[in-house]
Amino acid sequence: VDDLMLGTCTGIIEELESVAKQAGDMHFKQEGILIFQNVADNPSLYRGILGSHAFRRRLRVHLEAMVLKHLNRNAAGIGSTPIPLDVAAVHMVSSLLGLIEWWLEGRMKVPIELMAAIYERLVIRATWQALTPDLPLSLTWETR
């Protein structure tokens, strides 16, 4: 059952990433909108995922590997970072799961668009700024 759930979650993530990539400079805001819209459409699924300590841990480890792959690709041209990329991946995934859990517990009262902006600023931009403190806050994916 856990393998099936993990496969389902991976499929959802890959589909969301594919759609978000079409948003160009607004990629991560669109990704946030899609994430929180998906949670709003499937609250029972996400409560189940987050409520199972064992499955949540498996999902977290799986997501950390996916995020680390993205970080390695996007950080290739910036040189060394003051924070190891695997630590940044742990932070990003833990933060996202925490935001989802907080939002669900609050009965999704905060609008999806605001949650997307919070995700982009706190999870994506803040982490990237911490990884590249000597560079201007110009995200590499915004210049491609």
Side-chain angles (χ1 to χ4, degrees), residues 27-76:
H27 173 97
F28 289 102
K29 183 160 187 185
Q30 182 64 32
E31 184 175 84
I33 289 170
L34 293 170
I35 288 168
F36 287 96
Q37 184 63 59
N38 194 273
V39 173
D41 292 344
N42 304 285
S44 296
L45 171 68
Y46 286 92
R47 283 187 182 99
I49 288 169
L50 297 174
S52 167
H53 180 71
F55 183 74
R56 182 181 177 148
R57 184 181 188 305
R58 261 189 91 193
L59 179 63
R60 184 182 49 78
V61 168
H62 182 71
L63 292 176
E64 287 167 5
M66 291 177 75
V67 169
L68 182 57
K69 185 175 92 178
H70 288 290
L71 287 174
N72 279 320
R73 185 174 58 242
N74 285 300

Side-chain angles (χ1 to χ4, degrees), residues 78 125 128-129 132-140 142-143:
I78 63 169
R125 288 183 179 272
W128 194 254
Q129 180 69 42
T132 60
D134 297 330
L135 297 177
L137 187 53
S138 172
L139 305 174
T140 58
E142 292 179 334
T143 59

Side-chain angles (χ1 to χ4, degrees), residues 13-32 34 141 144:
I13 293 162
E14 289 171 351
E15 183 179 333
L16 296 178
E17 284 182 346
S18 175
V19 172
K21 282 181 183 176
Q22 298 171 16
D25 290 350
M26 300 298 291
H27 173 97
F28 289 102
K29 183 160 187 185
Q30 182 64 32
E31 184 175 84
L34 293 170
W141 52 84
R144 290 183 183 167

Side-chain angles (χ1 to χ4, degrees), residues 73-89:
R73 185 174 58 242
N74 285 300
I78 63 169
S80 66
T81 62
I83 298 169
L85 294 180
D86 58 339
V87 173

